[in-house]
């Protein structure tokens, strides 16, 4: 890009897709990562803002209370103004910018002002929502054409700009955007112009998200069905014989955790992995970190033992956090895994072993019981008299391992490798869901996640917020912390891993 163009700023019109944040394009993510300003819509999933630099300005231009926060002219002016200030602007629009997204109008305004822009296409709602509903837009045995139509014409508008006669001929699939408020009149017009009243129709609300709802009917009765179901926007209307294929092709809303809201309380940089496991089974995983991991108050105790790590007989690491903290510190000290020398390594659990593998180390010991008691049981089979053990730990870690190994005769050093502190606040989405009583399950993956939640909202309020919410705990120690605070644990896997916890949650809700 030339210096002249860059000095004038740049606007990227990015299609956010129909709702599932995984449906944005790679190019769209690239644009978000370099944005200085993001102007986003009501239908753009806010999780996509996680790709945006922390320093970037975020401007909501969607709906508030059912009304648009800014009209189109104001948005056009905003984009021009921000770009002319020399900023990189991303206009994040639900679906595709050029399919009923008013992207053309915004580009006209940018072009008239001499502002350079780029269009990044997105998965439009018709394609995404129909795919997730199991309704192919075209099918060799049913239809070879599809038409996208705006459904937003006044209920009593007789002089329609839509060619209803042409739409009603043949068996092509019709997709109406924004047509729920005009559903009855639109269906009547199709019948009036020759389409069979028995033609299958489907309404898809919040397509591609865990809130997806699909309502089926015909041209003759879909409006009545929608009224009885209280079906509200945003939704698409699909008309055509292909709707009948949903019975065979439905996949998304048949997953075991579909529609379940699950709160994940791990540390902020760790919630994503577990949330993704739950989302794969159809859950709406709401990230609610109750832990923030920070550096020790002083590094010297850890630095001292790491410099002489090769003089120890065992290095015991009980979590991926401990692994990462130790090896990041080694890097700062100008050292690497070679400093371990003859020191053998114990990893508590497969995830800890996996984290070690990232640094080229295979653990010598992985206890079959993935908790402190399992570590103690394994070392009880050995002669630890006079052996040196290095146990880098969290500031709030249980003292069982160093205490018991010392009792066996080992000389144990247990410096703090990281601290576990409270986040500043709970995420709005998680707190809002708890207050509205829409949460099905909450997960706790350590005792700290339980205690920290109680500390952040108060024990009494926590118990009130979690009334009727299924509590899932990763293991007995965490379950004990839950019960000590008055929570009833309904789910606890036999093995204490995230994968096993996810499987246990799936089994519980599948019963």
């Amino acid at each position: 890009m030339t210096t002249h163009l860059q000095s004038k700023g740049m606007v990227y019109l990015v299609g956010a897709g129909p709702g599932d944040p995984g449906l944005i394009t790679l190019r769209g993510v690239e644009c978000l990562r370099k944005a200085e300003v993001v102007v986003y819509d009501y239908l753009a999933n806010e999780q996509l803002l996680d790709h945006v630099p922390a320093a970037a300005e975020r401007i909501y231009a969607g709906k508030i209370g059912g009304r648009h926060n800014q009209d189109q002219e104001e948005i056009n002016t905003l984009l021009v103004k921000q770009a002319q200030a020399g900023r990189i602007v991303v206009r994040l629009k639900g679906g595709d910018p050029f399919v009923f997204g008013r992207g053309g109008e915004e580009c006209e305004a940018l072009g008239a002002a001499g502002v350079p822009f780029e269009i990044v296409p997105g998965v439009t709602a018709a394609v995404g929502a129909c795919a997730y509903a199991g309704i192919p837009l075209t099918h060799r045995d049913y239809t070879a054409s599809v038409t996208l139509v705006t459904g937003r014409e006044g209920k009593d508008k007789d002089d329609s700009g839509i060619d209803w006669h042409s739409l009603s001929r043949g068996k092509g699939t019709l997709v109406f955007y924004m047509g729920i408020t005009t559903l009855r009149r639109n269906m009547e017009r199709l019948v009036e112009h020759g389409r069979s009243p028995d033609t299958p129709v489907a309404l898809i609300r919040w397509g591609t998200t865990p809130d997806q709802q699909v309502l089926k009917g015909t041209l003759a009765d879909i409006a009545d069905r929608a009224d009885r179901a209280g079906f509200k926007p945003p939704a698409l209307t699909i008309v055509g014989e292909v709707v009948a294929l949903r019975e065979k092709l439905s996949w998304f809303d048949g997953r075991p955790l579909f529609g379940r809201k699950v709160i994940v309380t791990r540390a902020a940089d760790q919630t994503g992995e577990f949330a993704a496991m739950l989302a794969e089974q159809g859950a709406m995983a709401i990230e609610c970190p109750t832990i923030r991991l920070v550096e020790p108050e002083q590094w010297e105790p850890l630095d001292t033992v790491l410099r002489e790590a090769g003089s120890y007989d065992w290095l015991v690491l009980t979590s991926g956090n401990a692994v990462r903290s130790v090896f990041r510190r080694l890097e700062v000290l100008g050292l690497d895994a070679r400093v371990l020398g003859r020191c053998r390594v114990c990893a508590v659990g497969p995830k800890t072993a996996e984290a070690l593998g990232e640094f080229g180390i295979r653990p010598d010991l992985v206890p079959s019981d993935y908790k402190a008691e399992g570590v103690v049981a394994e070392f009880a089979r050995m002669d630890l008299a006079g052996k040196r053990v290095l146990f880098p730990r969290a500031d709030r870690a249980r003292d069982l391992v160093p205490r018991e190994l010392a009792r066996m005769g080992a000389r144990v050093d247990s410096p703090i490798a990281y601290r576990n502190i409270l986040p500043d606040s709970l995420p709005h989405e998680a707190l809002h869901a708890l207050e509205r009583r829409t949460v099905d399950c909450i997960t706790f993956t350590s005792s700290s996640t339980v205690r920290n939640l109680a500390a952040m909202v108060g024990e009494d309020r926590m118990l009130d917020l979690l009334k009727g919410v299924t509590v899932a705990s990763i293991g007995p120690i965490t379950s004990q912390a839950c019960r000590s605070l008055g929570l009833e644990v309904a789910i606890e896997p036999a093995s204490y891993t995230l994968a096993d916890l996810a499987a246990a949650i799936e089994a519980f809700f599948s019963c």
Side-chain angles (χ1 to χ4, degrees), residues 296 299 302-303 305-307 309-310 315-341 343-347 351-364 390 392-393 416-418:
W299 284 111
L302 181 63
D303 291 351
V305 296
L306 288 181
R307 289 189 180 99
L315 169 64
V316 180
L317 297 165
T318 59
S319 69
N321 294 326
V323 172
R324 287 182 285 272
S325 296
V326 164
F327 282 89
R328 285 170 186 161
R329 196 59 193 169
L330 284 175
E331 185 176 0
V332 170
L333 296 173
L335 303 171
D336 57 30
R338 289 174 293 180
V339 75
L340 294 176
C343 180
R344 289 183 288 177
V345 180
C346 170
K351 280 296 180 183
T352 307
E354 184 179 313
L356 276 167
E358 296 174 8
F359 297 95
I361 296 176
R362 291 184 178 180
D364 299 278
L390 177 55
R393 62 184 178 87
I416 293 174
Y418 60 95

Side-chain angles (χ1 to χ4, degrees), residues 143-196:
T143 182
S145 67
V146 58
T147 304
L148 309 184
V149 190
T150 178
R152 187 176 290 174
E153 287 197 319
K155 295 180 182 178
D156 301 319
K157 184 177 178 182
D158 293 323
D159 186 19
S160 173
I162 297 173
D163 186 351
W164 292 98
H165 179 69
S166 296
L167 283 182
S168 304
R169 298 174 62 188
K171 294 187 177 181
T173 304
L174 308 179
V175 181
F176 289 87
Y177 284 63
M178 306 164 292
I180 294 301
T181 59
T182 55
L183 176 64
R184 186 175 299 278
R185 185 65 184 123
N186 290 341
M187 301 301 97
E188 289 173 348
R189 279 172 163 157
L190 289 173
V191 173
E192 289 168 3
H193 287 83
R195 197 79 181 238
S196 169

Side-chain angles (χ1 to χ4, degrees), residues 29 31-42 44-62 64 69-70 78-79 82 87-92:
V29 172
C31 294
L32 287 171
R33 286 176 176 165
K34 63 183 178 182
E36 295 172 307
V37 182
V38 179
V39 181
Y40 63 102
D41 277 349
Y42 173 62
N45 193 315
E46 289 196 25
Q47 290 183 38
L48 295 175
L49 299 181
D50 292 342
H51 297 295
V52 178
E57 182 178 1
R58 295 156 170 81
I59 301 174
Y60 179 63
I64 295 179
N69 183 30
Q70 301 183 54
L78 173 65
L79 297 177
Q82 293 288 345
R87 307 177 81 183
I88 298 175
V89 182
V90 169
R91 175 71 170 110
L92 189 63

Side-chain angles (χ1 to χ4, degrees), residues 214-228:
V214 180
L215 181 67
K216 289 176 58 181
T218 65
L219 284 178
D221 66 12
I222 192 64
D224 290 333
R225 289 174 180 263
D227 287 344
R228 288 194 296 269

